[in-house]
Amino acid sequence: MARPREFKTDDAIKKAANVFWEKGYLEASLPDLLDGMGLTRGSLYKAFKDKKTLFLLVLAHYEDEAVGAAKACLTDSSVPDGRDRILSLFAALCAAVAAGDTRGCLLCSAAAGYEMSDPDIAAAVEKGMSGIREGLEAAMNDSPLHAGIPDVERRAIANVLLTQYIGLRVLARSRMPLGIVEQSVDSIRRLLEMDGA
C-alpha cells in the first residue's frame, strides 16, 4: 500500500511560488525548490513530475489568486465608475511598493523571462495577462467619461493600461524608487481623466 502524502499540495505550490518569485524560473534550482518547499526529491517528483509542471501549477495558482483579485477589483459593481476601479488597482500597486514589496508580479516576471520560449509556459502567461486585460476592458466599458468612444478605442486604452501595469510591476521588482512608480500612476490618472482618453 502506498504511503499517504505528508504535505498539502496547495501549500507546496504556494511555497514553490515564493521560490520562483525570488529566483525566477531558470535560476530556481532543484535544491532551492526542495529547501523552499520542505520536500524530498522523491516527493517532489512523485507529486509534480518535474520543474516545468510545478511552474505551470504555480502560474495557475497565481492566476486564481492574484489575477482573480485584480479582476475582482476591476469588475466590482459596488464601484459604479470603472475609471475609479482602474485607479484603485494602480493605487494598490503603489501601496504595495510603499510597503516594501519588491517582488513585483510573478506573471510579469515570467513574461519578461527566457522561459517564454517554452510554448506551454507562454500560453499560461498569456492566459493570465488576458485575464487582467479583460478586467481593464470591463472597467473601461463602465467608465461614463469614456462611454462615447468606439469599442476599439476602449480596447486600445485597456491594452495601454495593461502595458503600464506590467511595466510598473517589473519596475517594482527592479527596486525602482517609489516616486517613479507614483509619477507613472499619476500619468495614468491624467490619461483616464481626459474626455475620450
Side-chain angles (χ1 to χ4, degrees), residues 10-20 33 36-38 58:
D10 285 350
D11 290 342
I13 290 172
K14 288 176 187 176
K15 290 176 181 176
N18 289 330
V19 175
F20 286 125
L33 289 164
M37 297 169 73
V58 164

Side-chain angles (χ1 to χ4, degrees), residues 17-87:
N18 289 330
V19 175
F20 286 125
W21 221 329
E22 179 186 343
K23 302 273 187 179
Y25 175 69
L26 292 180
E27 296 300 318
S29 66
L30 181 60
D32 291 331
L33 289 164
L34 295 176
D35 184 53
M37 297 169 73
L39 298 180
T40 64
R41 183 184 299 255
S43 294
L44 187 143
Y45 283 126
K46 185 174 181 182
F48 303 109
K49 185 179 170 188
D50 56 28
K51 178 178 164 181
K52 175 182 164 179
T53 302
L54 176 59
F55 189 59
L56 289 170
L57 289 169
V58 164
L59 289 176
H61 167 77
Y62 189 83
E63 182 184 349
D64 287 344
E65 296 286 321
V67 175
K71 281 187 76 172
C73 171
L74 291 167
T75 58
D76 182 3
S77 60
S78 71
V79 180
D81 191 335
R83 186 179 63 90
D84 293 335
R85 296 181 217 153
I86 293 168
L87 293 175

Side-chain angles (χ1 to χ4, degrees), residues 97 102 170-181:
V97 174
T102 56
V170 172
L171 284 177
R173 186 167 176 82
S174 70
R175 301 175 190 269
M176 195 65 71
L178 175 62
I180 292 174
V181 176

Side-chain angles (χ1 to χ4, degrees), residues 112-136:
Y114 181 76
E115 56 267 32
M116 287 297 284
S117 61
D118 182 290
D120 297 324
I121 293 174
V125 170
E126 170 57 27
K127 186 172 181 275
M129 294 293 184
S130 293
I132 298 171
R133 185 173 51 242
E134 288 164 10
L136 288 165

